[in-house]
Amino acid sequence: GQQVMQIPQYQHVQEGEDFTTYCNSSTTLSNIQWYKQRPGGHPVFLIQLVKSGEVKKQKRLTFQFGEAKKNSSLHITATQTTDVGTYFCAGRSYGGSQGNLIFGKGTKLSVKP
Amino acid sequence: GAVVSQHPSWVICKSGTSVKIECRSLDFQATTMFWYRQFPKQSLMLMATSNEGSKATYEQGVEKDKFLINHASLTLSTLTVTSAHPEDSSFYICSASMGLAGAPYGQYFGPGTRLTVT
């Protein structure tokens, strides 16, 4: 079945450093979504990418969708302590089980002040 | 906007009893609601998808007779864990979407319910 792999599993950075998490799907995706889950909280929807090669920015966050629509990345520039949390990608394949999202395992980001 | 509430936030029950968890979309109509389990330090595992007024669609390996889902209205879905056992202890999270499953809408998550079965 469809799998969504996410790396790295953990990332520890010094405040001010950049951070990137990568997401790879075993199948071509119709779209991919990114979520952030703060410690003890619930996932919060960040963004959705639909088009091949799409790049979207939200302040210090840059989201990319690969040309083949099988991979995606989230890059945070100059991390802050408020960026701490687990970042999940979630891919939706064409015609998959009702087209539901398959979540990656997440990348847990810790930021040292 | 797009707020989803979940009740209770945590519950402790004895083995063999049933527990009902409610999920409500507070400021929008949720065409589709999803139920997930999340084990510690792990990702979300989709259990089932439900549309208002129709039977839920369960993911492979999820027992539909054990995890009863009712999507009574466009703002309310319930998950009942029947005859709970300690291995059912987990964090259950619901999410709601304004679109049909498969439509390119974001999902809005409830705060989750921590179930502990003793």
Side-chain angles (χ1 to χ4, degrees):
Chain A
Q2 180 195 358
Q3 288 187 326
V4 173
M5 309 297 292
Q6 195 173 347
I7 57 170
Q9 189 174 0
Y10 301 97
Q11 186 77 58
H12 309 283
V13 300
Q14 191 77 34
E15 188 173 24
E17 292 181 341
D18 293 355
F19 158 77
T20 306
T21 172
Y22 300 90
C23 190
N24 290 284
S25 169
S26 57
T27 60
T28 302
L29 300 170
S30 64
N31 61 74
I32 194 161
Q33 300 180 357
W34 285 91
Y35 293 79
K36 177 184 178 181
Q37 185 174 20
R38 292 181 184 274
H42 59 277
V44 174
F45 175 74
L46 294 177
I47 207 162
Q48 175 176 270
L49 304 173
V50 180
K51 299 177 182 177
S52 170
E54 188 171 13
V55 178
K56 286 188 177 180
K57 291 190 176 184
Q58 288 180 351
K59 296 183 181 179
R60 294 179 294 105
L61 278 61
T62 302
F63 303 84
Q64 291 189 326
F65 201 10
E67 294 289 340
K69 300 183 73 173
K70 295 181 74 173
N71 56 70
S72 180
S73 65
L74 158 60
H75 179 83
I76 302 178
T77 304
T79 55
Q80 299 175 0
T81 54
T82 52
D83 296 326
V84 165
T86 301
Y87 293 84
F88 292 98
C89 63
R92 198 191 307 275
S93 63
Y94 291 98
S97 174
Q98 291 198 344
N100 290 327
L101 292 173
I102 306 298
F103 280 79
K105 292 190 180 299
T107 297
K108 187 174 182 179
L109 172 65
S110 61
V111 180
K112 188 176 181 180
Chain B
V3 178
V4 176
S5 70
Q6 222 173 304
H7 177 81
S9 56
W10 60 270
V11 57
I12 302 173
C13 71
K14 292 186 177 180
S15 187
T17 62
S18 295
V19 175
K20 180 184 283 189
I21 303 170
E22 290 187 352
C23 177
R24 293 180 185 273
S25 58
L26 299 184
D27 54 359
F28 68 98
Q29 292 188 327
T31 304
T32 309
M33 284 188 169
F34 306 83
W35 287 94
Y36 295 85
R37 283 181 77 165
Q38 188 175 33
F39 293 100
K41 299 182 181 180
Q42 293 191 28
S43 186
L44 300 163
M45 185 192 79
L46 179 65
M47 298 175 66
T49 304
S50 71
N51 295 106
E52 181 261 341
S54 59
K55 290 183 179 180
T57 301
Y58 291 81
E59 295 299 300
Q60 193 172 10
V62 178
E63 299 175 58
K64 62 180 180 180
D65 294 330
K66 181 170 185 60
F67 298 99
L68 301 178
I69 291 172
N70 185 291
H71 195 155
S73 73
L74 284 171
T75 59
L76 173 65
S77 177
T78 60
L79 166 67
T80 301
V81 183
T82 62
S83 186
H85 291 284
E87 57 265 30
D88 298 325
S89 299
S90 189
F91 193 54
Y92 293 87
I93 304 179
C94 73
S95 72
S97 174
M98 300 175 196
L100 294 171
Y105 288 94
Q107 294 183 22
Y108 300 93
F109 286 82
T113 297
R114 173 74 61 192
L115 170 64
T116 302
V117 185
T118 61

